[in-house]
Every structure is written in C-alpha cells, then in structure tokens.
Amino acid sequence: SLSPLHRANALEEQLKEQELRADQTLLEEIKKQRELLSKMEREKSIEIENLQARLQQLDDENSELRSCVPCLKANIERLE
C-alpha cells in the first residue's frame, strides 16, 4: 500500500494534470469563440456591402424615374 506521502504526491500530480486539461479546454473554447466572432463580423461586413450596393441601385433607379416625370406630365397635358 502507498504511504501517505506517496498518496499526497500522486493526488498532487493528478490535480496538476486536471488543471492543465482545464486550461487547454478553456483556451480551445476562447479560440473557437474568437473564430466564430470574426466569421460573424465578416458575414456582417459582406451583408452591409450588399445592402449599400442595393441602396445605390435603388437610388439610381429613383433618379431615372424622377427624370421621366416632366416628360410624362407633358405627354398627359398634350393628350388632354
């Protein structure tokens, strides 16, 4: 049977290993969360770019339609 000192040493070693494993798990989790966060930021950034492009497109279409208004009004008056 193990002497109390050997038992204490064995338990101490076990504790150290568990602490190391816990630290590794924590570091892996932090890394995973960071990667997830930067993925979400990239996706958000792409979405913003797409929305800005769509806004520009709608703005251009709006300008085009506005420029047609005087011509259409003139046509209506002529037809009346």
Side-chain angles (χ1 to χ4, degrees), residues 25-39:
T25 305
L26 183 62
L27 286 174
E28 281 164 20
E29 191 56 38
I30 290 170
K31 188 181 166 202
K32 208 161 70 175
Q33 292 300 326
R34 280 203 185 121
E35 283 168 2
L36 192 62
L37 186 62
S38 65
K39 182 180 175 231

Side-chain angles (χ1 to χ4, degrees), residues 18-65:
Q18 284 175 348
E19 283 172 351
L20 272 174
R21 273 203 299 275
D23 285 349
Q24 282 175 332
T25 305
L26 183 62
L27 286 174
E28 281 164 20
E29 191 56 38
I30 290 170
K31 188 181 166 202
K32 208 161 70 175
Q33 292 300 326
R34 280 203 185 121
E35 283 168 2
L36 192 62
L37 186 62
S38 65
K39 182 180 175 231
M40 287 168 75
E41 281 170 350
R42 279 196 306 275
E43 285 171 0
K44 187 180 77 174
S45 166
I46 289 168
E47 198 177 344
I48 288 171
E49 277 174 35
N50 290 339
L51 288 170
Q52 282 172 336
R54 181 73 180 126
L55 184 62
Q56 185 59 55
Q57 188 188 355
L58 289 170
D59 225 15
D60 294 345
E61 282 175 28
N62 195 21
S63 298
E64 217 173 293
L65 290 170

Side-chain angles (χ1 to χ4, degrees), residues 61-72:
E61 282 175 28
N62 195 21
S63 298
E64 217 173 293
L65 290 170
R66 278 181 196 276
S67 68
C68 290
V69 169
C71 194
L72 291 170

